Amino acid sequence: MNARTVLGAVLAVVLLANVAIGEARMASALLPLHLGLGVVAFAASVAYAVIGRRFMPALVLGLVLSVLTGLQGALGLSMLLLNAEGPVEVAHRFNGTATFLIGLVGGILVGRASRRVLKA
């Protein structure tokens, strides 16, 4: 198993755990865990982009996930600092779920594409 596959799996598990915490409305009770998982997700997405920089689909997926996790962090921070709820909370929850789904599907597609390139 290569490093990109391991990082993709770690990223998928971390994003799934974070989405589960958020959708269960436990984010405020488990704030340090939620925040820590978000930081790990951001670091893993940046590492995925750096490791995959020689393979364009992996680089693009890593960059997209880095931007989405950074946006997720900014939305969460604004909810904490400004006590903003409503539209910001909806955007935070939607972005978290979308980031997980994009990461999951994108990771599968990048893995398949890299196997096809290696065969050719």
Side-chain angles (χ1 to χ4, degrees):
M1 215 186 295
N2 63 16
R4 195 174 60 233
T5 304
V6 172
L7 275 174
V10 167
L11 190 57
V13 169
V14 168
L15 288 173
L16 178 62
N18 236 0
V19 168
I21 290 171
E23 291 299 320
R25 306 283 188 172
M26 298 286 294
S28 59
L30 300 172
L31 188 59
L33 176 64
H34 193 60
L35 176 66
L37 288 173
V39 169
V40 169
F42 180 74
S45 64
V46 169
Y48 191 91
V50 169
I51 288 174
R53 70 185 176 273
R54 291 190 179 120
F55 186 56
M56 187 59 72
L59 175 64
V60 170
L61 178 63
L63 291 175
V64 166
L65 291 176
S66 297
V67 169
L68 288 174
T69 54
L71 176 63
Q72 184 72 357
L75 288 169
L77 192 60
S78 70
M79 284 174 54
L80 283 176
L81 296 178
L82 303 175
N83 292 326
E85 293 184 7
V88 177
E89 180 184 2
V90 170
H92 183 71
R93 290 177 60 207
F94 175 78
N95 187 39
T97 304
T99 302
F100 168 69
L101 292 175
I102 290 170
L104 183 66
V105 172
I108 291 169
L109 292 176
V110 165
R112 289 179 55 115
S114 68
R115 275 187 247 118
R116 283 192 177 170
V117 167
L118 290 176
K119 283 183 182 179

